[in-house]
Amino acid sequence: MKRIKLDWKHALFFFLLMGGIYCITESFFMSLGIMLLLFVVDYFLQQLDEKLKEKANRNNEEQQ
């Protein structure tokens, strides 16, 4: 299993978003669920970004 790269800025943003959603919905569990979904989506976007960078690096190496 790969290590999750969690930037403190992302975590702070997610917690602020969770607080805002909590103020709107007044449901702790709904805001917690949305925050967990954000962490999952962020993880998969980081994986996609790494794959795209690796592909670009391979293409650059092949051209040289």
Side-chain angles (χ1 to χ4, degrees):
M1 187 169 174
K2 290 188 176 183
R3 226 179 128 93
I4 299 174
K5 299 175 187 174
L6 184 62
D7 188 14
W8 67 271
K9 293 176 186 175
H10 282 109
L12 180 64
F13 174 72
F14 291 158
F15 280 113
L16 289 173
L17 191 62
M18 180 183 165
I21 292 171
Y22 177 75
C23 289
I24 293 170
T25 63
E26 297 181 3
S27 172
F28 174 75
F29 292 110
M30 183 183 294
S31 58
L32 181 65
I34 291 171
M35 189 179 90
L36 291 175
L37 285 173
L38 285 173
F39 279 117
V40 170
V41 168
D42 184 55
Y43 172 77
F44 285 116
L45 287 175
Q46 285 179 0
Q47 295 298 317
L48 178 64
D49 187 43
E50 286 179 15
K51 286 181 183 179
L52 292 175
K53 285 180 182 178
E54 287 176 10
K55 186 176 179 179
N57 286 339
R58 275 187 264 133
N59 288 339
N60 287 338
E61 289 175 359
E62 289 175 1
Q63 290 177 355
Q64 293 177 355

